[in-house]
Amino acid sequence: MTDLNHLEHDLITQVEAAGDEAALETVRVAALGKKGSVSELLKTLGAMSPEERKERGPLINGLRDKVQTAIATKKETLAEAALDVRLAAERVDVTLPVQEGPETRGRIHPISQVIEELTAIFADMGFSVAEGPDIETDYLNFTALNFPEGHPAREMHDTFFLAPDEKGERKVLRTHTSPVQVRTMMSQKPPIRVICPGRTYRHDSDQTHTPMFHQVEGLVIDTEANIAHMKWILEEFCKAFFEVEQVKMRFRPSFFPFTEPSAEVDIQCSRKGGEIRFGEGEDWLEILGCGMVHPNVLRNCGLDPDQYQGFAWGMGIDRIAMLKYGMPDLRPFFEADVRWLNHYG
Ligand SMILES: Cc1ccc(OCc2nc(C(=O)N[C@H]3CCS(=O)(=O)C3)cs2)cc1
């Protein structure tokens, strides 16, 4: 075996024997470094005669290429082995039971808790939950709900508009969950008793308004639904939600395009000592809006106003959650701060 074959055999054996990347680097420097055994051989080519260089050149360059390839392959093998060791060491068996402890337990977000609570209260009164898309057509979010063209709510400063769809239909992020009631009236025959919780979006942002907030609206459609039924349902809801035996409510005349007559509803409370308590006191707190469904809306949904009547209401869930939990600011609801969630969860 010639000296080059001997050297190749020795170097490849050393490369194969390298146990980690540091050992492999030592072999690489010893062979291909400035003073490496292969580098020293390459330096001798310069002093050779052309004939000798012609014969030895390809052999020495071939030796260098083989050693470089062997080192590159070994480097890859060692890296994969190191990754396997790390993956085994860091493996988390997600099927194991959670070690109990306050820091590891997940919690239901206060908004989800409130939605569950509202849903249960209305379910006890015969309501089912209806849901719909967050991205709505302009028609279902505004026109079907009797918003005239040019109504300020349609403006960009209030509503998030999206690019029209392939049919040229204008799309919006829904500004209320009312489109869900429209969809329900279009798809099912009365009597209807639904609540529609969900995310809604408006161009608002301050201590008590966030661009995305949660609403729950309700709708009753029947042949004999009237304001007395509406007041009873809302009163029963308030007593159950605010956990009071009796609650005074105040219906203040208001206006919404989709209801006529319309009212904003306050409930009696006391704010002594900075804490809000319900079912007592001389103060009032607005919590929702309501009204008899406008005949135009019934018609837009394919119902005859001479045959069917209905009433509806809407409330901001984040707002009543703040009241119920006594929170001063809405924004922490959406900052996913675990300390905050642990405190209210
Ligand atoms: C088909 C249909 C017909 C009527 C409807 O009326 C839903 C209603 N909403 C309100 C209302 O005051 N809502 C606001 C309360 C606070 S908020 O979250 O800013 C929205 C009054 S009546 C809905 C759907």
Side-chain angles (χ1 to χ4, degrees):
M1 194 192 282
T2 66
D3 63 326
L4 285 186
N5 291 353
H6 266 301
L7 182 55
E8 180 183 330
H9 178 266
D10 284 354
L11 291 178
I12 300 298
T13 306
Q14 287 172 42
V15 167
E16 286 311 318
D20 58 29
E21 294 198 24
L24 182 63
E25 180 57 11
T26 306
V27 173
R28 187 194 67 78
V29 171
L32 303 172
K34 266 212 183 87
K35 296 191 170 23
S37 53
V38 179
S39 307
E40 291 302 326
L41 280 175
L42 285 164
K43 287 174 195 163
T44 62
L45 288 174
M48 283 177 193
S49 67
E51 294 70 31
E52 207 183 354
R53 191 166 39 246
K54 196 162 179 291
E55 189 232 331
R56 297 275 292 175
L59 296 174
I60 295 174
N61 281 309
L63 170 60
R64 181 203 50 203
D65 295 348
K66 282 180 196 158
V67 172
Q68 279 178 336
T69 305
I71 287 172
T73 307
K74 184 68 175 175
K75 193 173 171 63
E76 246 177 64
T77 310
L78 287 172
E80 280 167 18
L83 180 60
D84 290 344
V85 166
R86 196 166 152 233
L87 288 174
E90 294 173 4
R91 182 170 170 277
V92 174
D93 178 355
V94 293
T95 63
L96 287 176
V98 173
Q99 290 95 8
E100 264 317 302
E103 69 288 344
T104 56
R105 191 167 59 85
R107 283 171 176 72
I108 304 288
H109 191 283
I111 295 287
S112 303
Q113 284 182 47
V114 170
I115 290 178
E116 284 172 11
E117 201 175 328
L118 295 170
T119 304
I121 292 171
F122 284 109
D124 286 349
M125 293 194 266
F127 285 77
S128 52
V129 175
E131 293 182 330
D134 288 26
I135 296 177
E136 265 300 358
T137 61
D138 185 74
Y139 177 76
L140 286 171
N141 194 77
F142 292 118
T143 312
L145 286 153
N146 203 34
F147 280 86
E149 289 304 326
H151 188 283
R154 290 175 178 264
E155 294 309 311
M156 294 292 278
H157 64 261
D158 241 8
T159 302
F160 291 108
F161 283 89
L162 307 176
D165 65 12
E166 63 287 346
K167 288 176 286 185
E169 180 98 58
R170 280 170 68 101
K171 297 280 189 159
V172 297
L173 283 179
R174 67 185 185 187
T175 56
H176 43 195
T177 55
S178 310
V180 180
Q181 286 104 309
V182 174
R183 288 168 177 272
T184 304
M185 285 199 274
M186 287 176 167
S187 60
Q188 77 179 58
K189 204 168 155 20
I192 294 172
R193 282 170 185 67
V194 291
I195 57 163
C196 312
R199 291 181 172 184
T200 52
Y201 307 83
R202 290 187 195 172
H203 251 298
D204 263 343
S205 181
D206 61 32
Q207 196 164 348
T208 53
H209 296 84
T210 46
M212 184 281 285
F213 61 105
H214 299 78
Q215 261 191 4
V216 61
E217 295 196 4
L219 175 73
V220 170
I221 299 286
D222 210 333
T223 51
E224 304 292 332
N226 60 45
I227 282 198
H229 298 139
M230 178 179 80
K231 291 178 81 168
W232 180 82
I233 283 174
L234 295 178
E235 193 169 318
E236 288 306 300
F237 159 71
C238 287
K239 288 194 290 189
F241 184 74
F242 292 106
E243 297 166 282
V244 289
E245 285 301 307
Q246 286 311 317
V247 67
K248 259 197 236 159
M249 297 172 81
R250 185 169 69 178
F251 286 70
R252 284 180 288 105
S254 181
F255 172 79
F256 306 109
F258 33 76
T259 46
E260 181 57 35
S262 305
E264 284 171 340
V265 178
D266 307 326
I267 62 167
Q268 168 207 37
C269 68
S270 80
R271 299 179 202 246
K272 286 198 194 76
E275 197 190 311
I276 293 186
R277 277 198 300 282
F278 299 99
E280 58 180 81
E282 303 310 315
D283 245 331
W284 294 98
L285 206 64
E286 182 183 339
I287 52 153
L288 61 88
C290 61
M292 296 306 288
V293 177
H294 195 290
N296 288 352
V297 175
L298 293 174
R299 284 190 202 96
N300 293 340
C301 297
L303 295 176
D304 176 355
D306 296 331
Q307 190 187 357
Y308 292 108
Q309 296 172 303
F311 53 85
W313 67 90
M315 66 183 100
I317 296 176
D318 320 87
R319 175 171 165 71
I320 56 172
M322 278 171 77
L323 297 176
K324 180 156 191 173
Y325 288 97
M327 299 167 189
D329 188 335
L330 192 51
R331 284 165 293 201
F333 274 81
F334 307 111
E335 286 161 0
D337 181 332
V338 177
R339 293 162 302 177
W340 184 89
L341 288 168
N342 285 345
H343 177 69
Y344 286 109

